[in-house]
Amino acid sequence: MVKCPECDAEIKVPADSIEGEIVTCPDCGASYELVKAAEGFGIKPAQVVGEDWGQ
Ligand SMILES: [Zn+2]
């Protein structure tokens, strides 16, 4: 379980999750990418799909 940095809601992280998986906050709908941490998983803001990088 991790806490959403936006709204402080708890986001469930399935036990079989893998690093890089996208989780979505049930409260505010923000998306985060799972990153491995010392104690289970942490999260970082996910890159928005479809963002234009000027390619
Ligand atoms: Zn949230």
Side-chain angles (χ1 to χ4, degrees):
M1 198 90 82
V2 293
K3 279 209 169 176
C4 176
E6 289 291 331
C7 69
D8 224 33
E10 290 187 333
I11 304 173
K12 282 181 183 163
V13 178
D16 60 348
S17 293
I18 55 169
E19 189 171 21
E21 205 168 309
I22 302 298
V23 293
T24 303
C25 175
D27 240 46
C28 70
S31 293
Y32 300 98
E33 186 178 331
L34 290 177
V35 292
K36 281 235 178 199
E39 303 165 7
F41 282 106
I43 53 174
K44 69 177 184 182
Q47 293 290 349
V48 178
V49 175
E51 193 167 336
D52 186 11
W53 292 92
Q55 292 174 359

